[in-house]
Amino acid sequence: MSRWGLTIPLTGVRLAEQRALIESLPDLGYTDLWTAETAGTDAFTPLALAAQWAPNLRLGTAIVPVYTRGPGLLAMSAATIADLAPGRFVFGIGASSPAIVEKWNGIPFTEPMARTRDTLDFLRRAFAGEKISERYPSFAVEKFTLENPPAVAPPIMLAALRPGMLRLAARSADGAITNWLAATDVPKVRAVVGPETELAARIFVCPTEDAEAARGIGRLMISSYLTVPAYAKFQQWLGRGDILGPMWEKWAAGDRRGANLAIPDSVVDELVLHGPVEYCRERVREYVDNGLDTPVIAIVPTGSDLSGLARALSPAGVR
């Protein structure tokens, strides 16, 4: 059976109020819970709780930025979750974006490929219990040793959007994590990482039959994310350069409203799944049919009961 993941915590619902839902997920066919880290909860705390609430689920971070914590703290945080969920934790790391790293955290966003590669090497050695003194190209560490290295070292997956990082994930990590792609884009990404590398993707799902409302939300999300240079280049690589060109031009000119209006319905419909719950569930399955190993559903709030939607989007389809 393919994996079936959910992004937690659900937006706008207090983490402590999600216990009953998380406890029920394995019986509904979910295999995975994955966190994100932007400006809400951190990536680790929800997984610490989920490790106790649902001891059969695989837990993952998608993703933890490699800049916003020092290398030693990254290793300690991951080792803690690995100890709480031995053999069930996947550590997803990535460069993140200049907005999160520089504007929100005051840290220079330089050499993202090198920083990710160096952090991956450091974490492998730290999880193995090595004493590390190393001057990497992007940072230096002196005499660091994890006091409690995990009994089961967690797999490390990399956030990857284009061929360079995708190849690094396939060559040196345990998998690749991507997002903002259509089901029809999966074969292109799969061709780069190869057949053996685990490929996970966060899929934005807005379960509502109000197409106009869903597209309005979708346009705001697309203009916020896909104007970030790394995501813009990803979409160009996927073949959307011409169709998204007017959005990028208007955004660069400071015309936010015009940028949103320039996004075609077809692009919104590809990248933000919407419609009846049953239809959305089948759209997620299309990603798996096209070569995705781990779909990670991110429910876009529409005013409905999010816990109920999470249950309805499960493989079991329970309302």
Side-chain angles (χ1 to χ4, degrees), residues 227-311:
T227 51
V228 173
Y231 282 110
K233 291 176 182 177
F234 181 48
Q235 295 303 314
Q236 290 168 348
W237 178 65
L238 291 174
R240 296 192 182 88
D242 289 342
I243 199 167
L244 287 177
M247 177 193 73
W248 291 322
E249 291 175 5
K250 292 182 181 299
W251 187 271
D255 182 1
R256 301 300 190 248
R257 182 174 182 275
N260 286 331
L261 293 175
I263 304 169
D265 287 351
S266 60
V267 172
V268 182
D269 296 348
E270 283 184 325
L271 300 180
V272 180
L273 310 187
H274 60 90
V277 169
E278 297 79 4
Y279 173 75
C280 290
R281 191 190 314 117
E282 292 309 308
R283 290 283 307 280
V284 173
R285 291 190 190 279
E286 289 178 12
Y287 284 80
V288 177
D289 293 342
N290 286 352
L292 185 69
D293 296 302
T294 307
V296 182
I297 294 169
I299 301 176
V300 178
T302 59
S304 301
D305 170 26
L306 296 188
S307 293
L309 290 175
R311 293 184 171 91

Side-chain angles (χ1 to χ4, degrees), residues 155-171:
I156 303 173
M157 295 178 67
L158 300 185
L161 294 176
R162 288 184 293 150
M165 198 70 82
L166 288 167
R167 284 192 289 265
L168 176 64
R171 180 176 65 249

Side-chain angles (χ1 to χ4, degrees), residues 49-67:
L49 292 170
Q52 310 307 304
W53 294 345
N56 295 321
L57 291 174
R58 188 172 72 155
L59 310 175
T61 57
I63 52 88
V64 173
V66 296
Y67 291 95

